[in-house]
Amino acid sequence: MKRFVLFLLPLLASCGYGLVGNANNLLAPTVHTIEVPAFVNRTTRVELEQRVTQAVAAEFVSRGRLKLVNSAPAADVILRGSIDSFGIFPVAFNQQGRATQYQISITAKIELLDHRADDKVLWKNDQYRFTENYQVNTESTDAFDQETRAINEIAVRFAESLVTNLLEGF
């Protein structure tokens, strides 16, 4: 019995989940700079591409792994993107029938290119989808201000998700 327990102990200790992705598979240690040109906006939502581009660039800077540069010649890698669809839908309502929660959905085309190797594609997703819900302050009378604030917050969450996918390989 003692041998059986000793045999099972290593097996039990090895059970569990491990991280599958590895940033080193995507970005070589020699990659130090990134350019994030303005995303192309293929939606009707004005300024969406500006907010998303700014949020993505800020997220790269906050991670400290890569330095943001403003020109392709100075970049080791280039992140290009287009926002192909944007939707905002009410998903919860109060007793007066006013929306209390919305869902925002963004679909984008994203490419990470190795500028040092003739823009070789390192990572590409033609249907990168991001969806998140946000609560509405039903006490506020300024719906436009709430939508703008929500889009800013969603742009930050989109950027966090995208940069995590790129740097951590998920």
Side-chain angles (χ1 to χ4, degrees):
M1 178 71 169
K2 193 177 206 181
R3 285 185 183 170
F4 182 72
V5 171
L6 290 174
F7 172 76
L8 283 180
L9 191 58
L11 291 175
L12 292 173
S14 67
C15 290
Y17 296 96
L19 298 177
V20 175
N22 185 345
N24 293 331
N25 293 339
L26 183 61
L27 295 177
T30 56
V31 172
H32 301 290
T33 58
I34 186 169
E35 181 195 20
V36 183
F39 280 38
V40 175
N41 188 355
R42 293 193 170 100
T43 74
T44 57
R45 177 68 175 130
V46 177
E47 297 181 357
L48 180 62
E49 78 286 357
Q50 293 171 3
R51 298 183 195 288
V52 169
T53 303
Q54 290 169 354
V56 170
E59 184 64 19
F60 272 113
V61 169
S62 74
R63 299 282 179 111
R65 165 68 172 86
L66 298 173
K67 178 183 174 195
L68 185 66
V69 295
N70 293 323
S71 67
D76 294 332
V77 293
I78 300 172
L79 181 74
R80 295 193 198 283
S82 66
I83 302 169
D84 298 333
S85 72
F86 171 81
I88 183 167
F89 314 99
V91 293
F93 301 89
N94 64 13
Q95 292 183 339
Q96 290 78 33
R98 246 180 111 181
T100 58
Q101 187 176 8
Y102 285 86
Q103 181 178 80
I104 290 182
S105 176
I106 297 173
T107 303
K109 177 181 179 181
I110 308 292
E111 289 183 322
L112 183 66
L113 308 170
D114 187 340
H115 189 61
R116 301 167 309 166
D118 295 323
D119 291 340
K120 175 185 169 196
V121 175
L122 297 173
W123 188 90
K124 183 177 181 176
N125 189 331
D126 290 337
Q127 293 289 311
Y128 187 82
R129 296 181 197 277
F130 179 81
T131 303
E132 187 166 292
N133 293 351
Y134 76 94
Q135 295 291 111
V136 174
N137 179 359
T138 55
E139 314 255 327
S140 174
T141 57
D142 191 355
F144 180 76
D145 185 47
Q146 282 195 54
E147 184 175 323
T148 300
R149 188 173 30 256
I151 288 171
N152 287 338
E153 291 174 16
I154 294 303
V156 169
R157 303 291 173 272
F158 175 91
E160 290 169 348
S161 172
L162 176 61
V163 173
T164 296
N165 274 291
L166 292 171
L167 294 183
E168 297 177 14
F170 296 101

